[in-house]
Amino acid sequence: MVEAPQTEEGWFSLHDFRSIDWDAWREAPERERRQAIEEGEAFLKHRELVADADEGDSGLFSVLGHKADLLFVHFRPTLDDLSSIERRFEDTALAKFTERTTSYVSVTEVSGYVSDEYFEDPDSVDAGLRRYIEGKLTPEIPDDEYVCFYPMSKRRGEEHNWYDLSFEDRADLMADHGEVGKRYAGKIKQVIASSVGFDSHEWGVTLFGSDPTDIKDIVYEMRFDPASSRYGEFGEFYIGRRFPPADLGAYLAGETVPTGEADDEATGADSGEGRHGHGERGHHHAGGHHGPSDGHDHAGATGGAPQGDHPHGEGDGAGEGDHPHAGGDGSEHGGEGEEGTSDEDIRGELADLNIYAGKPHGEDVYATVLYSEADVDDLFDEVEGLRGNFDHYGTHVKTAVYEGRHTDRAAVVSIWETASAAETAAGFLSELPEVVGRAGEESGFGTMGMFYTTKSEHRQDFVDTFDDVEDLLSEMEGHLETDLMINVENADDMFIASQWTAKEDAMAFFGSDEFRETVQWGREVLADRPRHVFLA
């Protein structure tokens, strides 16, 4: 009996192809189209930031030709994760304008061709091989790339039957096949996932490259290799280009995407370091970041290529919250006595749950704050898990939990380098337990700033002075509630949450002599400059 190679599975994969009902889109009222764009963009952003699972990756692609318009690619730890993503999309307003033309389900794997040693004694393999295997099992979708997807199988014909070959013969064929892939080092990255028992072919192949002709060339050259010419059988090919969710409206309007306009407002999944609004972002992994392959070609003891039973050699060269959050970037207000600020400096609330975003004074960063009535220790545990994902992104500055002194609420503060990153983070944070709106039930004007870091020796002096100011606040017209909240990880880091009936009432206080005197005194006891953020 012919020996079947051992396999180890990684993430499950869904390639979801959608066509747009362009007639329905053109005929829809502007309000419906706007809602579809907002909800579609929010859904796709949250998938890219993996709001729905502990780890994974997602990407959005345009598709050329009649077979589809859009491609959603998702990698997740379980099939149930992918099933949930499918159903969540159907809940968006965008879904009614789309029709699924096809899909493909598979799972990443490594096989015995990688290394007999890996399957017999995994702890004994070297670090480079381990990183290579991790990259195959938990692939990262490259940034700003063209994509080609196609399914394929190995032939079972009367003359040529791949599955009648010995393990050694298959290993030799795949090693030679892999040599072709190595010539495309730095040009092509491929993700190959097994669909045996899952879909119509045996593998799903996804090729990424910055130059689409490189994709054509590698497929063309490999067709002449015996592993393909004798034993390869292929399904339909799809070609497209990755673009950021922020460009969804531009895509539906017929513009060329990626537009490049998302670069300046990149989020954590759009981290603003080059990828048309995606940036060179980190990868979502529970328990640590799995780096990409180090590019080494690790042959097993049999002399087989590292790709296992996969159709192409890799080696060096082949290598929650789904609701849209409207709102702006907030604004700064000088915490040193300015008497007011313009309407342009005070932006609207984020949608849902009264979540706010704003820009601290004098810094090119943006903040999101929400409140929760959950037990502060339980809340911190939840936030710490989210923060582990946030920390993968270069745009993340800080996320912390502040405990109230005079209220039963805690505040979760998340600071980012871009407005859209803060806005997107709000979507994830809004799913924390027992989230409430602004202080009390009243509407009005909320200030979500007033961040202070005290010198440790003056911490109590600051708290005592705040208590005096709090007494003054309680007598002011339009004041609803103010609380000094303390960072649960650093008692010197404080956040004042203040609620007012109207903007004018708050500005009257911030322009008062009492406030100016407090700030002036505060300079002597603070470790750095205070930051103030205001939102309507």
Side-chain angles (χ1 to χ4, degrees), residues 207-469:
L207 305 178
F208 301 96
S210 58
D211 185 341
T213 63
D214 289 332
I215 294 175
K216 186 271 293 183
D217 289 342
I218 189 174
V219 174
Y220 180 66
E221 286 193 48
M222 285 186 167
R223 288 293 177 96
F224 289 89
D225 186 84
S228 290
S229 64
R230 295 178 189 171
Y231 300 102
E233 295 182 337
F234 301 88
E236 289 193 311
F237 281 67
Y238 297 80
I239 187 74
R241 176 74 184 273
R242 187 168 192 181
F243 70 96
D247 282 349
L248 180 61
Y251 171 83
L252 292 168
E255 298 179 25
T256 299
V257 292
T259 64
E261 295 175 0
D263 287 339
D264 295 333
E265 44 187 63
T267 66
D270 315 284
S271 69
E273 297 174 8
R275 178 185 86 189
H276 59 263
H278 289 275
E280 196 65 33
R281 59 171 167 69
H283 209 147
H284 289 279
H285 295 274
H289 171 67
H290 294 294
S293 167
D294 63 356
H296 295 166
D297 181 5
H298 299 277
T302 64
Q307 73 281 350
D309 240 359
H310 292 159
H312 295 305
E314 296 174 24
D316 292 347
E320 196 71 69
D322 293 332
H323 36 272
H325 291 273
D329 60 358
S331 150
E332 66 273 13
H333 174 82
E336 301 175 12
E338 288 95 337
E339 296 186 359
T341 186
S342 67
D343 289 341
E344 290 77 19
D345 291 332
I346 303 174
R347 303 297 176 83
E349 305 164 353
L350 292 175
D352 303 322
L353 301 171
N354 290 322
I355 299 168
Y356 309 106
K359 182 177 179 181
H361 176 70
E363 300 179 30
D364 189 20
V365 293
Y366 298 77
T368 288
V369 174
L370 55 78
Y371 300 95
S372 171
E373 293 179 344
D375 176 82
V376 70
D377 292 331
D378 294 339
L379 181 65
F380 177 78
D381 290 341
E382 295 281 345
V383 171
E384 192 170 28
L386 279 174
R387 187 167 60 184
N389 279 342
F390 291 167
D391 284 342
H392 287 311
Y393 306 121
T395 51
H396 182 232
V397 177
K398 169 185 175 181
T399 297
V401 176
Y402 294 78
E403 186 173 13
R405 295 171 65 242
H406 301 309
T407 67
D408 294 329
R409 286 182 300 278
V412 180
V413 177
S414 191
I415 300 176
W416 297 77
E417 292 180 358
T418 65
S420 58
E423 182 179 325
T424 301
F428 310 139
L429 296 170
S430 68
E431 296 180 354
L432 291 170
E434 298 185 52
V435 168
V436 297
R438 60 181 55 176
E441 296 299 322
E442 307 88 345
S443 60
F445 177 73
T447 71
M448 56 150 258
M450 307 171 77
F451 295 90
Y452 299 91
T453 303
T454 65
K455 298 175 183 176
S456 296
E457 64 270 24
H458 292 297
R459 180 194 310 144
Q460 192 57 48
D461 295 335
F462 183 86
V463 171
D464 292 342
T465 299
F466 172 81
D467 289 339
D468 293 337
V469 174

Side-chain angles (χ1 to χ4, degrees), residues 337 465 469 512-523:
T465 299
V469 174
S512 67
D513 292 338
E514 291 83 356
F515 183 73
R516 280 196 293 271
E517 291 172 4
T518 300
V519 170
Q520 184 64 36
W521 170 84
R523 289 174 175 164

Side-chain angles (χ1 to χ4, degrees), residues 164-192:
D164 279 343
L165 298 177
S166 68
F167 182 93
E168 289 75 15
D169 287 345
R170 282 179 276 132
D172 288 343
L173 283 167
M174 295 310 297
D176 292 340
H177 200 59
E179 292 301 314
V180 178
K182 291 178 183 179
R183 293 200 287 270
Y184 289 84
K187 296 180 179 180
I188 296 293
K189 173 184 172 62
Q190 70 177 9
V191 176
I192 304 173

